[in-house]
Amino acid sequence: MNPMRALVRTMTLAGVCGALMAASLQVPGTASAREGAAAWARGPAWQPTPTGKQARFRGLAAVGRKTAWLAGSGGTVLRTTDGGATWRDVAPPDAEGLEFRDVEAFDARRAVVLAIGEGDASRVYQTSDGGASWTLGFKNDDPRAFYDCVTFFDSRHGLAVSDPVDGRFRIISTGDAGRTWRVLPSEGMPPALEGEAGFAASGQCLVSHGPRDVWLATGGASRSRVFHSGDRGLTWTVADTPLPSSPSQGVFAVAFRDSRHGVAVGGDYRPGQPSPAAAATTDDGGRTWRPARRPPAEYRSGVVWPVYSGPAALAVGPTGSDGTLDGGRTWTRFDTGSFDTVDCAADGGCWAAGEKGRAARLTFTTR
């Protein structure tokens, strides 16, 4: 079995908690990035928002301070529109038993969720009425494919990625908000390394920024790498990263502030294993990567670079959360709770999520 696929199943049983966070490191109501930075200096804190579920949430989409979507194990999809005070179960009716690992949402009504697995377990559903009804836009019919992550450039155009088929990562594309999908030609994709694949750990192995740029993070092989496309997935380049790679190591997530500045996090997902050099940065769009001077001390599965946050970013993992104020060169742990994924919205609302139905928002102390 592909080591990444084994990882996906192992991690489903492992257990990592979660919390929902707040996007740009500005606090709601602050007037400037400087005030937001001052709030960050006072200290972030997690505000739990109980979901009433026991699913493990690795898919998360922050729409705003009040609205967010979660996607997780057991075919679970939840939505809140009141800042997490209540969560509504809005899962597709035929999804019981599916492993949802990613969700992309455009507002309180429109969202796309991706289920992982071999063969027809890999699926993409779309809703435009807040989950009251769903369209099955894609159902994998190739037993060799295993889809990991999905991303959108805007509310209509998006991509999803499968582990390599015939020696290359497979990309599918939609131009109608996820209602239909087509497989893109593989000629523009560099060959995969032996054992190389994506980690379906946080929905952040495939991320986009702007109207055309997209990055794919990998591991599992002799080197950890990040692929980049500037034409919505038609042609790709690839670069090595300094993060260690093995069947249990690699780049788990990437985030970009703009088309040039990005951060990558990862490490060894196995509990208790050391994860040195678990973060890297780029300032040339992913052509080259440099190790963080002071990376997170342990494995991190999710990362986000909030809008308007300047050099500040957040990373989460099973042993806690870290923040950086210098574009990913140095990281400082601010919480020891367990999280799988993190996302931030343009209005300054950040959320994070993880195991046992846990979800929370990021707040700041007011001393």
Side-chain angles (χ1 to χ4, degrees):
M1 176 182 292
N2 184 299
M4 298 300 176
R5 302 182 186 184
L7 160 69
V8 166
R9 293 177 178 173
T10 301
M11 295 184 76
T12 300
L13 301 175
V16 177
C17 53
L20 293 162
M21 296 175 71
S24 78
L25 293 181
Q26 280 183 247
V27 177
T30 58
S32 69
R34 179 178 296 178
E35 293 177 6
W40 175 260
R42 289 195 300 268
W46 294 108
Q47 179 182 337
T49 60
T51 64
K53 301 290 184 178
Q54 288 296 306
R56 185 170 190 174
F57 296 114
R58 295 186 183 276
L60 165 64
V63 175
R65 297 170 191 161
K66 295 294 187 180
T67 302
W69 296 69
L70 298 174
S73 58
T76 307
V77 180
L78 303 182
R79 184 195 61 163
T80 182
T81 57
D82 56 13
T86 60
W87 290 91
R88 181 182 176 189
D89 189 339
V90 294
D94 61 342
E96 184 177 356
L98 293 179
E99 286 289 331
F100 288 122
R101 292 297 180 90
D102 203 354
V103 55
E104 298 287 322
F106 314 111
D107 50 41
R109 298 182 61 80
R110 298 176 296 160
V112 172
V113 293
L114 176 141
I116 66 163
E118 297 174 345
D120 63 8
S122 283
R123 305 180 188 183
V124 181
Y125 292 83
Q126 178 271 344
T127 182
S128 56
D129 56 12
S133 63
W134 292 85
T135 298
L136 178 59
F138 173 77
K139 187 175 183 179
N140 178 41
D141 60 3
D142 189 333
R144 301 170 298 170
F146 186 104
Y147 286 82
D148 299 301
C149 295
V150 61
T151 191
F152 273 77
F153 303 97
D154 53 43
S155 62
R156 294 185 59 82
H157 300 89
L159 304 176
V161 61
S162 164
D163 288 342
V165 175
D166 295 327
R168 298 176 192 269
F169 284 92
R170 175 171 289 180
I171 304 294
I172 59 173
S173 171
T174 181
D176 57 9
R179 294 178 180 84
T180 61
W181 297 78
R182 66 185 181 93
V183 177
L184 293 183
S186 63
E187 290 77 11
M189 175 67 71
L193 302 174
E194 181 66 30
E196 189 174 22
F199 288 97
S202 62
Q204 295 172 327
C205 66
L206 185 72
V207 302
S208 59
H209 191 285
R212 305 189 69 80
D213 287 298
V214 59
W215 293 266
L216 165 63
T218 75
S222 58
R223 305 188 302 277
S224 63
R225 306 199 292 177
V226 174
F227 293 69
H228 170 250
S229 171
D231 56 11
R232 292 186 178 179
L234 293 177
T235 61
W236 298 77
T237 58
V238 63
D240 292 349
T241 81
L243 275 69
S245 186
S246 74
S248 60
Q249 295 176 308
V251 180
F252 279 69
V254 291
F256 278 78
R257 182 177 72 183
D258 51 39
S259 62
R260 296 181 60 84
H261 298 88
V263 292
V265 300
D268 193 325
Y269 76 87
R270 295 175 299 172
Q273 295 299 310
S275 288
T281 66
T282 180
D283 60 8
D284 57 11
R287 288 191 292 273
T288 60
W289 293 85
R290 294 176 300 278
R293 290 201 304 265
R294 189 177 71 211
E298 296 169 297
Y299 155 71
R300 294 292 178 255
S301 57
V303 66
V304 64
W305 206 325
V307 178
Y308 310 126
S309 70
L314 301 169
V316 301
T319 58
S321 301
D322 300 88
T324 177
L325 295 175
D326 58 10
R329 292 187 292 275
T330 62
W331 295 83
T332 300
R333 184 179 305 191
F334 67 87
D335 186 87
T336 58
S338 173
F339 305 89
D340 282 330
T341 187
V342 58
D343 192 29
C344 294
D347 71 350
C350 290
W351 303 76
E355 70 170 347
K356 297 181 180 179
R358 296 184 63 184
R361 297 181 303 164
L362 191 67
T363 61
F364 294 85
T365 58
T366 57
R367 68 175 185 271

